[in-house]
């Protein structure tokens, strides 16, 4: 999906007030020779930058230094410039967190001024800003194709090189180069209130769909808490269910990006409590059995944080990024727990981990600004402590981390096969199902069907399968599984 197509979608989404997801399955390069030259330049620049580091000069010439060549507190300490960073973290802009980090950064680099702009509707607005060039020096990468990365951003270095410093260097990879670094990582599990579980008589966290529904029933029978809070009304929160597809539900980290598009019946019941079928059936069954809020149309995202904190809610299905927000929302942070998603594959529970929004540096600003941006990103990743403050899965391989999810085996989904980088984006668009790409409506339809009894679950899955098969045929994608 090329940027102009994404821009058109963003404009339409803005008019309907929907929220686009953050994707990034890329496409093949149309400028192979240029990219090969870029890769060569990165290696050449690395060597030059390592030499320049010793000189510690404020004058930056040639190419910007790579991530690995910068020694924080020693490289370019006299550099004087102003850079701008746009992001989606309005909460951390308002509470002074980001301002405090910049103040700490300026203790090391006092002459680099960092201006920030927090954007509420970031998913859509960032695409428009990207197309116009009106965004500055650093941004969080919006939903573009990987084929377009080099059109807008400079690389941090090769993915092999960056793998020594960060987790998930391949998230925004093109031609062996890393263009994006997460500000924090997410693992995928389920939020729960430990006290509610105890009061309900639940002694062990559930590991299967049947155990999870039984747990919700115990919460309903023995406490006043809402067993599962759907967050239906917010819309975007419903898209969280898609994040458990693949590795978590079947233990195969090649399924989502490589096999899914080639599968004839991805939503069929495998009969063993695993797979996409049982992932979404958990939600359907919880709603059908009355194990959610009394009126799902009136859920409220902001108030649910305090409700989970104070024991009015038993569970919520969201990524680990939400843990810090729930703990901050009341007087009972120690009651907030995070457990693996309740599906077990051959005796093992899995969790996926990957980066949230990723820092990227503009290719259309001068080398001085690129250098300052590179320094700031590296400082934020390695020295600020922001990732751990948010309760995130670690991005830096050297920074301290308190994240612990040892109950699950952590996997990272493998990227699409060469030449197929656009397939999932195209299938999402053609089928209009949008898995892990803002497909909130289809999850809301599960809630509606279960609450009203208008459709049984198998009917919904058959409809999804038909849309998937029609998209495969329309796009000429071979069915292999």
């Amino acid at each position: 999906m090329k940027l102009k197509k994404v821009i058109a979608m963003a404009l339409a989404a803005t008019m309907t007030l929907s929220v686009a997801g953050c994707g990034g399955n890329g496409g093949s390069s149309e400028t192979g020779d240029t990219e090969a030259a870029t890769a060569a330049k990165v290696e050449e620049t690395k060597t030059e930058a390592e030499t320049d580091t010793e000189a510690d000069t404020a004058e930056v010439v040639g190419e910007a230094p790579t991530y690995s060549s910068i020694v924080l507190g020693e490289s370019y300490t006299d550099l004087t410039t102003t850079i701008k960073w746009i992001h989606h973290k309005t909460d951390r802009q308002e509470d002074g967190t980001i301002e405090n980090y910049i103040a700490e950064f300026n203790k090391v680099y006092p002459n680099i001024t960092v201006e920030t702009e927090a954007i509420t509707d970031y998913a859509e607005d960032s695409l428009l800003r990207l197309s116009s060039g009106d965004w500055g020096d650093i941004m969080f990468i919006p939903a573009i194709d990987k084929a377009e990365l080099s059109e807008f951003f400079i690389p941090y270095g090769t993915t092999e090189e960056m793998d020594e410093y960060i987790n998930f260097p391949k998230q925004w990879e093109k031609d062996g180069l890393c263009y994006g670094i997460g500000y924090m990582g997410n693992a995928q599990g389920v939020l729960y209130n430990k006290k509610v579980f105890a009061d309900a008589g639940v002694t062990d966290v559930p590991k299967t769909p049947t155990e999870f529904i039984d747990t919700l029933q115990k919460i309903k029978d023995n406490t006043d808490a809402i067993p599962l809070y759907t967050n239906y009304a917010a819309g975007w929160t419903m898209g969280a269910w898609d994040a458990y597809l693949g590795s978590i539900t079947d233990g195969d980290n090649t399924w989502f990006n490589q096999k899914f598009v080639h599968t004839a019946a991805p939503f069929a019941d495998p009969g063993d409590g695993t797979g996409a079928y049982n992932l979404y059936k958990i939600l359907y069954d919880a709603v059908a059995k009355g194990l959610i809020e009394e009126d799902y149309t009136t859920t409220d995202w902001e108030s649910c944080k305090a409700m989970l904190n104070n024991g009015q809610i038993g569970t919520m299905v969201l990524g680990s990024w939400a843990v810090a927000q729930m703990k901050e929302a009341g007087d009972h942070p120690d009651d907030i727990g995070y457990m693996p998603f309740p599906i077990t594959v051959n005796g093992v529970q899995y969790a996926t981990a990957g980066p949230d929004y990723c820092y990227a540096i503009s290719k259309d600003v001068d080398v001085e600004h690129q250098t300052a941006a590179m320094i700031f990103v590296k400082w934020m990743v390695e020295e600020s402590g922001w990732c751990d403050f948010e309760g995130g899965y670690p991005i830096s391989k050297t920074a301290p981390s308190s994240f612990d999810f040892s109950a699950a085996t952590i996997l990272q989904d493998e990227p699409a096969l060469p030449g197929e980088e656009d397939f999932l984006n195209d299938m999402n668009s053609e089928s209009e199902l949008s898995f892990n790409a803002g497909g909130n409506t289809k999850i809301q339809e599960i809630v509606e069907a279960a609450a009203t009894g208008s459709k049984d679950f198998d009917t919904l899955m058959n409809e999804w399968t038909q849309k998937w098969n029609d998209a495969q045929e329309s796009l000429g994608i071979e069915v292999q599984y």
Side-chain angles (χ1 to χ4, degrees):
M1 187 185 299
K2 299 304 179 185
L3 181 63
K4 61 182 181 181
K5 183 176 179 182
V6 180
I7 296 299
M9 292 175 63
L11 287 169
T14 301
M15 294 181 69
T16 58
L17 298 180
S18 65
V19 179
C22 180
N25 293 309
S28 59
S29 172
E30 297 175 358
T31 56
D33 292 340
T34 300
E35 295 310 320
T38 301
K41 286 183 178 180
V42 167
E43 292 303 312
E44 179 183 351
T45 301
K46 177 183 175 184
T47 302
E48 294 175 354
E50 287 170 344
T51 302
D52 289 345
T53 296
E54 299 177 1
D56 189 25
T57 176
E59 182 181 0
V60 184
V61 295
E63 299 283 340
T66 58
Y67 186 96
S68 65
S69 70
I70 292 172
V71 179
L72 291 173
E74 298 181 18
S75 305
Y76 308 101
T77 52
D78 294 333
L79 180 61
T80 302
T81 192
T82 298
I83 57 175
K84 182 177 180 179
W85 166 35
I86 66 170
H87 60 84
H88 71 298
K89 293 296 291 181
T90 55
D91 57 338
R92 298 309 183 197
Q93 188 87 6
E94 293 171 359
D95 69 11
T97 298
I98 289 176
E99 181 181 355
N100 290 337
Y101 287 138
I102 293 172
E104 290 300 311
F105 170 74
N106 285 145
K107 291 179 181 179
V108 184
Y109 288 93
N111 301 317
I112 298 178
T113 300
V114 182
E115 298 176 347
T116 64
E117 180 182 354
I119 300 173
T120 301
D121 297 321
Y122 190 84
E124 290 87 13
D125 288 354
S126 60
L127 287 169
L128 300 176
R129 298 280 287 271
L130 186 64
S131 67
S132 68
D134 177 26
W135 56 277
D137 307 278
I138 304 169
M139 76 181 311
F140 284 148
I141 303 176
I144 65 171
D145 284 342
K146 287 185 176 180
E148 299 170 305
L149 287 169
S150 60
E151 296 178 24
F152 302 106
F153 311 120
I154 63 169
Y156 291 98
T158 66
T159 51
E160 181 179 4
E161 174 185 83
M162 292 302 294
D163 189 52
E164 299 179 20
Y165 298 90
I166 63 169
N167 289 314
F168 323 118
K170 293 184 178 181
Q171 180 71 15
W172 290 104
E173 176 189 35
K174 182 174 183 258
D175 298 328
L177 301 175
C178 170
Y179 286 87
I181 302 175
Y183 84 94
M184 64 174 282
N186 285 320
Q188 304 300 330
V190 178
L191 286 154
Y192 72 103
N193 186 291
K194 297 174 186 178
K195 185 177 185 302
V196 171
F197 271 41
D199 291 346
V202 179
T203 56
D204 298 311
V205 295
K207 296 182 179 180
T208 67
T210 299
E211 291 178 1
F212 186 68
I213 295 298
D214 288 347
T215 293
L216 299 184
Q217 189 65 57
K218 287 180 180 178
I219 293 172
K220 181 176 182 178
D221 293 342
N222 299 310
T223 76
D224 293 326
I226 299 167
L228 172 67
Y229 197 77
T230 66
N231 262 310
Y232 170 96
W236 63 268
T237 47
M238 295 260 75
W241 287 83
D242 285 347
Y244 305 88
L245 281 170
S247 295
I248 294 173
T249 52
D250 58 26
D252 182 356
N253 66 345
T254 67
W255 188 87
F256 185 73
N257 288 319
Q258 297 181 11
K259 297 176 180 176
F260 187 17
V261 297
H262 296 289
T263 301
F267 316 112
D269 184 4
D272 60 0
T274 68
Y277 179 94
N278 289 287
L279 161 65
Y280 296 110
K281 193 171 189 295
I282 289 174
L283 177 60
Y284 187 96
D285 287 349
V287 177
K289 294 176 183 293
L291 303 175
I292 64 167
E293 57 276 329
E294 184 174 347
D295 182 358
Y296 60 82
T297 66
T298 61
T299 61
D300 181 72
W301 165 243
E302 289 300 331
S303 64
C304 81
K305 301 174 189 179
M307 291 171 68
L308 182 70
N309 186 289
N310 65 27
Q312 292 175 270
I313 292 172
T315 66
M316 281 196 289
V317 175
L318 289 170
S320 63
W321 59 266
V323 172
Q325 294 190 37
M326 303 301 163
K327 288 187 174 184
E328 293 174 358
D331 298 328
H332 308 283
D334 292 340
D335 288 345
I336 303 299
Y338 200 68
M339 66 182 185
F341 194 82
I343 283 182
T344 298
V345 183
N346 297 323
V348 179
Q349 282 187 281
Y350 293 95
T352 52
D356 202 290
Y357 271 118
C358 293
Y359 297 103
I361 298 172
S362 175
K363 80 171 187 62
D364 294 324
V365 296
D366 61 33
V367 175
E368 187 175 79
H369 284 79
Q370 291 172 348
T371 301
M374 189 75 71
I375 293 167
F376 179 69
V377 169
K378 185 164 186 172
W379 188 90
M380 287 295 290
V381 171
E382 296 187 359
E383 299 293 337
S384 72
W386 191 20
C387 175
D388 200 50
F389 173 75
E390 297 290 354
Y393 189 92
I395 292 295
S396 170
K397 289 186 174 181
T398 59
S401 175
S402 59
F403 189 90
D404 180 18
F405 210 32
S406 56
T409 297
I410 302 292
L411 296 177
Q412 184 181 7
D413 286 332
E414 289 294 314
L417 295 171
E420 298 187 358
E421 293 90 347
D422 276 345
F423 279 16
L424 184 54
N425 274 346
D426 292 344
M427 283 290 291
N428 273 334
S429 179
E430 185 70 21
S431 68
E432 299 183 344
L433 291 171
S434 297
F435 293 98
N436 260 339
N440 315 318
T441 302
K442 70 177 185 296
I443 311 299
Q444 288 178 311
E445 289 174 352
I446 293 176
V447 175
E448 295 160 6
T452 63
S454 59
K455 293 179 184 178
D456 63 32
F457 184 69
D458 285 345
T459 297
L460 283 171
M461 293 300 99
N462 290 337
E463 290 176 353
W464 287 14
T465 299
Q466 188 61 57
K467 291 179 179 180
W468 201 246
N469 294 159
D470 289 345
Q472 288 168 328
E473 182 177 358
S474 176
L475 296 168
I477 292 179
E478 180 184 3
V479 175
Q480 301 176 2
Y481 306 100

